[in-house]
Amino acid sequence: MAGVVILTGAGVSAESGLGTFRDVGGLWTRYDLTEVATPEGFARNPALVHDFYNARRANALDAAPNAAHLALARLLDARPDVTLVTQNIDDLHERGGARAVIHMHGQITRARCAACDHRWDAPRVMDRSDACPACARPATRPDIVWFGEMPYHMDRIADALAACDLFVAIGTSGEVYPAAGFVEEAAAFGAETLEINLEPSAPGRFDRVIQGPATEAVPAWVAEVLAT
Ligand code: NAD
């Protein structure tokens, strides 16, 4: 096996205590996504958007990486041909030891100036009126890709998908595009496809499915790969 692309979603961080998108009663269900995760929502009510992401940042910083994050970091160390792409905005892959993570939806630990595009490390609590360290304008936003915005690093991801022999989706529902289309993209270039998920996302979409909680299924799969 040479050339592996792994795509992770909220399910990989669920057992660290970070709610997935659709958790009943979770943070995401208590807010209207069009109000907190779109540029239009931010323009209408920046304070509400910052409140939402301040809460998510606090949750993420207080969470610890789990066995799935640690196993993926071990795999990256052992296999330089593995590319790890995440839709998650938390930093649990990095804190689990992953050497290089492509954050296609941005990072909760980073801030961005909506006026000049400068980026910097986010403080624990942010507000729109925080001055940008580069241009001093009060236009601070989280460095998160919102609905309607272009995900980051799409060229790098497309190259990796075209070159990989195996595509693995872990803990993602496959409902948010463009990430949801990566499996078809990789398969079109001849890659084998594997899904690791608590509940398989769609029958027949992947060549192989491993069903189970990420903290058990991912370390077991990584051990299998490292043994070959
Ligand atoms: P999603 O909420 O749509 O789907 C979560 C998936 O994880 C489901 O398929 C579910 O079956 C699976 N899952 C739940 N618990 C699991 C476990 N213990 N082990 C394995 N799988 C488990 O999330 P998504 O597909 O990542 O897409 C939604 C969007 O939500 C993304 O854009 C992402 O940026 C954002 N999001 C991020 C975080 C985070 O950063 N931790 C959390 C919530 C949502």
Side-chain angles (χ1 to χ4, degrees):
M1 185 170 68
V4 181
V5 175
I6 298 172
L7 171 71
T8 63
V12 84
S13 295
E15 290 163 86
S16 291
L18 300 183
T20 65
F21 225 176
R22 291 166 187 85
D23 276 335
V24 177
L27 194 54
W28 289 96
T29 57
R30 283 186 270 126
Y31 286 82
D32 178 350
L33 283 186
T34 57
E35 294 307 321
V36 297
T38 62
E40 296 77 17
F42 185 62
R44 272 193 295 275
N45 192 346
L48 175 78
V49 174
H50 275 297
D51 280 353
F52 175 73
Y53 285 103
N54 286 338
R56 308 227 46 234
R57 189 176 305 104
N59 288 349
L61 293 176
D62 292 343
N66 64 45
H69 299 107
L70 300 179
L72 291 173
R74 280 199 302 281
L75 181 63
L76 288 178
D77 274 346
R79 294 282 302 263
D81 61 332
V82 176
T83 302
L84 178 60
V85 181
T86 189
Q87 297 166 90
N88 293 346
I89 57 176
D90 67 58
D91 62 350
L92 295 181
H93 281 306
E94 285 86 348
R95 285 199 275 132
R99 55 172 167 80
V101 186
I102 300 177
H103 278 274
M104 62 179 293
H105 290 165
Q107 292 172 266
I108 193 70
T109 52
R110 300 281 290 166
R112 175 176 155 199
C113 176
C116 77
D117 239 15
H118 180 69
R119 290 170 166 84
W120 66 98
D121 285 338
R124 194 174 170 103
V125 177
M126 294 200 320
D127 185 82
R128 186 178 191 279
S129 61
D130 296 343
C132 167
C135 74
R137 277 180 284 186
T140 293
R141 58 169 279 183
D143 191 10
I144 303 293
V145 177
W146 286 325
F147 291 100
E149 296 184 320
M150 179 61 81
Y152 297 155
H153 313 298
M154 289 305 289
D155 289 348
R156 265 177 82 193
I157 296 169
D159 289 348
L161 290 172
C164 73
D165 299 319
L166 175 67
F167 172 78
V168 188
I170 303 176
T172 174
S173 61
E175 290 188 20
V176 177
Y177 280 83
F182 290 174
V183 57
E184 280 84 19
E185 219 171 308
F189 283 101
E192 294 281 310
T193 60
L194 165 68
E195 173 172 35
I196 302 177
N197 204 326
L198 202 53
E199 307 285 344
S201 58
R205 201 168 186 196
F206 289 82
D207 298 323
R208 179 185 172 199
V209 176
I210 300 175
Q211 191 167 349
T215 55
E216 293 171 20
V218 175
W221 172 71
V222 167
E224 180 190 305
V225 172
L226 293 179
T228 58

